Amino acid sequence: MSEDILSRVRKVTVEELSVKEEEVLESSSFQDDLGADSLDVVELVMALEDEFGIEIPDDEVGEIKTVGAAVEYIEKKLPK
Amino acid sequence: MIRELARSGRVVITGLGAVTPLGIGVEKFWQNCLNGVSGVHRISLIDPEPFPTKIAAEVLDFQAEDWMERKDARRVDRAIAMAVAAARLALDDSTIVLTDELKDEFGVFIGSGIGGLNVMHENTRIMYERGPSKVSPFWVPYMIANMPGGIVSILNDLRGPNVAAVTACSTGANSIGDAYHVIKRGDAKMMLAGGVEAPINDIGVAAFCAARAMSTRNDEPQRASRPFDLDRDGFVMGEAAGVMVLEELEHAIARGAKIYAEIVGYGMTADAYHITGVHPEGRGARNAMLRALDRAGVSPHRVDYINAHGTSTPIGDPAETLAIKGAFGDHAHKVAISSTKSMTGHTLGAAGAIESMVCALAIRDQKVPPTINYETPDPACDLDYVPNVMRELPIEYALNNSFGFGGHNVSLLLKRV
C-alpha cells in the first residue's frame, strides 16, 4: 500500500470530516468509526476525486467504506 | 399530552438573540441602536467594485466556527450559522432549563426571505465551471429556506411545531406572529421565533442592484440609509439573524422568567397590487396596523411607539407615512416613529425579528431609538420620526411594521407587562 496515497487520504478525511488525524486509521470505516453520514461520504468522495484527479463513478462508491479501501481503490485508478 | 384548563392564551417575550450589523448579543445591539451608530460600511464579504452599490451592513465579527462544530461550520450557509447563533443567544438569555417534557412543547419558527443564497450561488458557479458532478450534496439541505429552523431544532432537540415563513421582508415578523398564535392556541408552551438573511454575495448584490432598489451613496456609507429624509435614495442591504423566545405567560411566571413584553396583536394583509411596489396610499399597510390593534382591542391613540418598516426608499417611506395617518388619524402626529434600518440597514427576512426586539427593548427601557441621518424634512413624510437622538418616553404599547415584496404586510403589537 502506498504510504503517499494513505497520507493524502488521511489528510482529506481529516479536513472533510473534521476528525483528529490519530483517529483516521487504515481500518477506520468512514460511516461507522468516523461519524460520516451518507451526504458526508458523497462530499468526501468528491474531495478525493479532486485530490487525486480521478473520477469515481457512483456505482463504485460502495467499494470505499474504509480508509484502507479508499487507498486500494485509488491505487487501482491512478495511472501506473 | 395533558393540557391545563386554566390557560390565559397570553404570550410573552422572555429571551432575545441578536446577530446584527450593530453587534452580536442583544445588549450590544441595543446600546448601539440607542446611540445612533450606523452599521453600514464598504462591503467586505465580496469585492464590491463591479457593482453600482458598494456598501452594506455586515456582521463584521461573525464566525460560524464560534457557534457550531467545525465540520458543520465550514460548509453550512452563513444564514444557517447566523440563525443557530441567534437561537443560542435567545435560549441563553431566557435562562430556560430544557427538560425532556418541555422539548415536546417547544417549537421553532425561523424563516428567511431567500434561504441559503451563498450555497446556492457558489454551487451554481461550480456547476458551470466544473460540471454537475461537482455540485455539493449539501446544496439542497443548506439552500432550502426552512433549514435554519430545521437545524436549530436539531441542535437544541426542540420537538414542537416547526415552520418557516417565506414572506420576503416581512418574514421575521410573520414568524413571530405565527409563533405567538401557536402558543396562544395551545400548540406549544415555548417557541423560538424570528428570521435570518445572509444575502451579501455576488448574486445577491447584483440582483438587488438590478432591481434598482438600493442606495448608491457609496462615498458616505454611514449616511446612506436615511429613512424619511428628503435625500434618501434607496435601502442599504444588511445581513442579520434575530430570534426571540416566546413563552406562555403562566409558564414564564411559574419559572420566574424575566419578561420583556407581551405580544397582544398580530395583523396581516396583502396589498394585492404589485410585485415589488407598495400600494401608493399604503392600503394594505394601514389595514395590517388596524388589524393588530383590533385583535388586541387597543385604540390607536394608546400606541406610544411605532418601529416603522422605513427602508429609505423614495416611494416606500411616504406610503408608510400615509398608512400610519390612515390607521392613527390625528394621533399619527403624536406617536413617536423611528426606523432602526437607518442604523442596521435593511436585513430583509431578519428585519421584522430584530425590529420586534427593538420594540421589546424600547418597552423594557422606556426609550425610543432614533432615526439617524434625518437631516432634511420631506413634505411627504411629515410625522415625528425621532430624528437622530434617542428619546426617553413612557411606552405602554409599541407597534412593529414589516412589509415585503409580494405585497405582504405585517404589524405586531407589543405591550408592557
Side-chain angles (χ1 to χ4, degrees), chain A:
Chain A
M1 179 171 292
S2 159
E3 285 302 316
D4 169 58
I5 293 175
L6 176 61
S7 80
R8 285 161 73 191
V9 169
R10 290 181 72 189
K11 187 191 73 167
V12 169
T13 305
V14 165
E15 181 65 19
E16 291 299 318
L17 302 181
S18 296
V19 288
K20 294 196 181 74
E21 201 171 344
E22 57 267 28
E23 291 177 70
V24 184
L25 310 174
E26 216 178 294
S27 60
S28 301
S29 157
F30 296 115
Q31 296 210 44
D32 297 339
D33 301 322
L34 300 176
D37 62 24
S38 59
L39 294 181
D40 291 329
V41 170
V42 177
E43 200 178 53
L44 178 74
V45 166
M46 287 166 61
L48 291 172
E49 288 179 330
D50 284 348
E51 172 71 21
F52 293 98
I54 57 175
E55 289 293 324
I56 305 175
D58 281 355
D59 56 2
E60 292 175 16
V61 169
E63 295 174 31
I64 307 175
K65 287 192 166 26
T66 66
V67 173
V71 173
E72 282 172 28
Y73 179 90
I74 291 160
E75 279 180 334
K76 249 186 342 192
K77 277 276 179 172
L78 284 178
K80 297 284 177 295

Side-chain angles (χ1 to χ4, degrees), chain B residues 224-245:
Chain B
S225 186
R226 40 197 316 116
F228 306 109
D229 181 87
L230 183 67
D231 299 322
R232 66 191 181 277
D233 72 328
F235 76 82
V236 173
M237 179 188 271
E239 57 170 2
V243 176
M244 53 171 68
V245 175

Side-chain angles (χ1 to χ4, degrees), chain A residues 18 35 40 46 49-50, chain B residues 70-71 74-75 130 134:
Chain A
S18 296
D40 291 329
M46 287 166 61
E49 288 179 330
D50 284 348
Chain B
R70 191 173 161 270
K71 183 169 96 173
R74 59 186 279 274
R75 65 190 186 197
R130 304 184 58 205
K134 300 300 180 189

Side-chain angles (χ1 to χ4, degrees), chain B residues 286-372:
Chain B
R286 177 197 65 206
N287 290 342
M289 288 184 256
L290 287 173
R291 278 196 193 182
L293 293 165
D294 178 70
R295 295 300 178 272
V298 171
S299 329
H301 74 272
R302 296 182 66 192
V303 174
D304 307 293
Y305 171 53
I306 298 173
N307 187 292
H309 187 59
T311 58
S312 184
T313 58
I315 294 170
D317 295 356
E320 185 173 9
T321 298
L322 278 177
I324 292 170
K325 289 177 182 172
F328 287 86
D330 289 345
H331 187 61
H333 291 276
K334 295 176 192 145
V335 63
I337 302 164
S338 69
S339 170
T340 38
K341 288 188 182 78
S342 58
M343 298 173 276
T344 63
H346 187 0
T347 61
L348 311 178
I354 64 176
E355 288 157 22
S356 295
M357 286 188 201
V358 167
C359 288
L361 292 159
I363 285 172
R364 181 192 71 177
D365 291 354
Q366 303 284 287
K367 289 175 180 169
V368 173
T371 304
I372 68 165

Side-chain angles (χ1 to χ4, degrees), chain B residues 261-284:
Chain B
E262 179 177 358
I263 300 182
V264 292
Y266 174 31
M268 291 176 274
T269 65
D271 270 4
Y273 172 71
H274 187 267
I275 54 169
T276 57
V278 296
H279 189 275
E281 281 114 51
R283 180 184 62 195

